[in-house]
Amino acid sequence: MRPENQSSMSEFLLLGLPIQPEQRGVVLALFLGVYLTTVLGNLLIILLIRLDCRLHTPMYFFLSHLAFSDVAFSSVTVPKMLRNMQIQCQSITYAGCVSQVYFFIFFGCLDSFLLAVMSYDRYVAVCHPLHYTTIMRDELCIILVAGCWFLSCAHALLHTLLVDQLSFCAGTVIPHFFCDLSAVLKSSCSDTSLNELLIFTEAGLIFTLPLGGILGSYIYMAAIILKVLSFKRIFKALSTCGSHLFVVFLYYGTIAGVYYFPSSGNSKVKDIIASLMYMVVTPMLNPFIYSLRNKDMKRALQKIFRTKDSPWRH
């Protein structure tokens, strides 16, 4: 195996999912259904928020960006995985691999920042309801979302540029179903100490700061609510924040399982399952657990169908 730089590398080999050949058809149909559900569900959320003026509030403004991010996050890896399973070819070009690294980091980071911003929105709604409209002004919402996009772009670009400087051996095999940053670094023939140092410092900070903000917001909310113990207040707070909190635990729990508590030995099945959870399953569940069970979203959906059916009633 001779080292080659990025300009002479043509493609990598992805090992894909650890499934038997006879199971490929069933798994392909399953993940295709999950992906289509993710895309259609999140696009429906964006459409409803766009069309219904009652949903033009900070919470749904942030939610529309999260829905778009979820669609893009799944689209970075799932279509390529499905295509490889269909044609039974696990190769990916160097440019495609680097693009996956960039957009995977970008939209994964964007999800994390948006969840933190949404937790701040819920904190203001629960702890300062009378000043909610004053605090969560349109200008502040735009600044917060723009900051999420900018920081995510800068974070992803930094890691991608460093990956682009690495050399890889001919016939490099990546033991994953997509070009995960850690898997790509392990497959490199170059010294990756700088990349790994950046992951444990800058990337660790990017992970812990939003999570710390989310936990801090909910701890402060809990302290405020428990000062005057009332089941009505607790129920109202859970109805306001419960879905968001569930998504946070699902998203960060699976990420922590992959990157902070990796499986021991040579077995990577646990890591792949956890990766599928936060890249495929979580974006699919978000429309159901966070939006489509919301009364405002249901009313908006019913309004769309009534408007569509109204010409046939006359």
Side-chain angles (χ1 to χ4, degrees), residues 174-235:
I174 299 177
H176 219 305
F177 65 91
F178 74 104
C179 289
D180 179 59
L181 177 59
S182 60
V184 171
L185 294 181
K186 292 176 182 177
S187 304
S188 174
C189 299
S190 302
D191 180 15
T192 60
S193 56
L194 178 60
N195 303 73
E196 294 170 356
L197 178 63
L198 196 65
I199 289 175
F200 283 107
T201 54
E202 187 264 351
L205 196 64
I206 290 291
F207 177 85
T208 55
L209 280 180
L211 181 59
I214 293 170
L215 294 178
S217 297
Y218 278 105
I219 290 173
Y220 193 82
M221 277 189 278
I224 294 295
I225 294 170
L226 294 177
K227 280 185 178 180
V228 181
L229 190 59
S230 169
F231 288 106
K232 184 178 180 180
R233 292 184 66 187
I234 294 175
F235 179 77

Side-chain angles (χ1 to χ4, degrees), residues 30 34 38 50 59 96 106 120 128 204 228 238 246 268 272:
L30 175 63
V34 170
T38 300
R50 178 70 176 174
M59 181 180 74
F106 176 79
Y120 174 71
H128 304 284
V228 181
L238 288 176
F246 183 79
K268 297 296 180 182
I272 290 176

Side-chain angles (χ1 to χ4, degrees), residues 44-60:
L44 178 61
I45 290 174
I46 298 173
L47 179 65
L48 292 177
I49 294 173
R50 178 70 176 174
L51 295 179
D52 197 325
C53 60
R54 292 175 298 182
L55 300 180
H56 294 175
T57 62
M59 181 180 74
Y60 293 108

Side-chain angles (χ1 to χ4, degrees), residues 257-258 261-271:
V258 174
F261 305 102
S263 57
S264 58
N266 296 323
S267 176
K268 297 296 180 182
V269 176
K270 178 182 175 183
D271 293 349

Side-chain angles (χ1 to χ4, degrees), residues 71-293:
V71 171
F73 192 40
S74 291
S75 299
V76 170
T77 57
V78 177
K80 176 62 177 174
M81 179 185 72
L82 295 176
R83 182 177 181 275
N84 285 354
M85 290 175 62
Q86 182 185 17
I87 65 177
Q88 301 183 27
C89 175
Q90 300 300 103
S91 64
I92 184 172
T93 63
Y94 174 81
C97 187
V98 172
S99 298
Q100 272 197 350
V101 170
Y102 174 80
F103 287 108
F104 168 74
I105 297 174
F106 176 79
F107 288 110
C109 188
L110 182 60
D111 264 9
S112 180
F113 281 129
L114 287 173
L115 288 173
V117 168
M118 293 170 78
S119 71
Y120 174 71
D121 173 74
R122 296 298 82 204
Y123 157 75
V124 176
V126 171
C127 298
H128 304 284
L130 300 180
H131 302 284
Y132 179 78
T133 55
T134 305
I135 298 174
M136 300 303 297
R137 306 180 309 276
D138 291 344
E139 298 82 2
L140 177 62
C141 295
I142 293 173
I143 290 173
L144 289 174
V145 168
C148 293
W149 281 83
F150 175 78
L151 291 175
S152 301
C153 179
H155 174 65
L157 186 61
L158 176 62
H159 286 278
T160 306
L161 290 176
L162 287 177
V163 168
D164 196 47
Q165 303 304 312
L166 299 177
S167 297
F168 296 89
C169 296
T172 296
V173 176
I174 299 177
H176 219 305
F177 65 91
F178 74 104
C179 289
D180 179 59
L181 177 59
S182 60
V184 171
L185 294 181
K186 292 176 182 177
S187 304
S188 174
C189 299
S190 302
D191 180 15
T192 60
S193 56
L194 178 60
N195 303 73
E196 294 170 356
L197 178 63
L198 196 65
I199 289 175
F200 283 107
T201 54
E202 187 264 351
L205 196 64
I206 290 291
F207 177 85
T208 55
L209 280 180
L211 181 59
I214 293 170
L215 294 178
S217 297
Y218 278 105
I219 290 173
Y220 193 82
M221 277 189 278
I224 294 295
I225 294 170
L226 294 177
K227 280 185 178 180
V228 181
L229 190 59
S230 169
F231 288 106
K232 184 178 180 180
R233 292 184 66 187
I234 294 175
F235 179 77
K236 185 177 180 180
L238 288 176
S239 63
T240 303
C241 308
S243 297
H244 176 260
L245 195 57
F246 183 79
V247 171
V248 168
F249 279 123
L250 187 61
Y251 180 77
Y252 281 100
T254 51
I255 289 180
V258 174
Y259 297 106
Y260 288 85
F261 305 102
S263 57
S264 58
N266 296 323
S267 176
K268 297 296 180 182
V269 176
K270 178 182 175 183
D271 293 349
I272 290 176
I273 292 175
S275 298
L276 289 172
M277 282 295 295
Y278 76 83
M279 293 181 58
V280 181
V281 179
T282 301
M284 181 196 68
L285 293 178
N286 281 355
F288 299 99
I289 63 179
Y290 197 36
S291 301
L292 297 183
R293 295 182 64 184

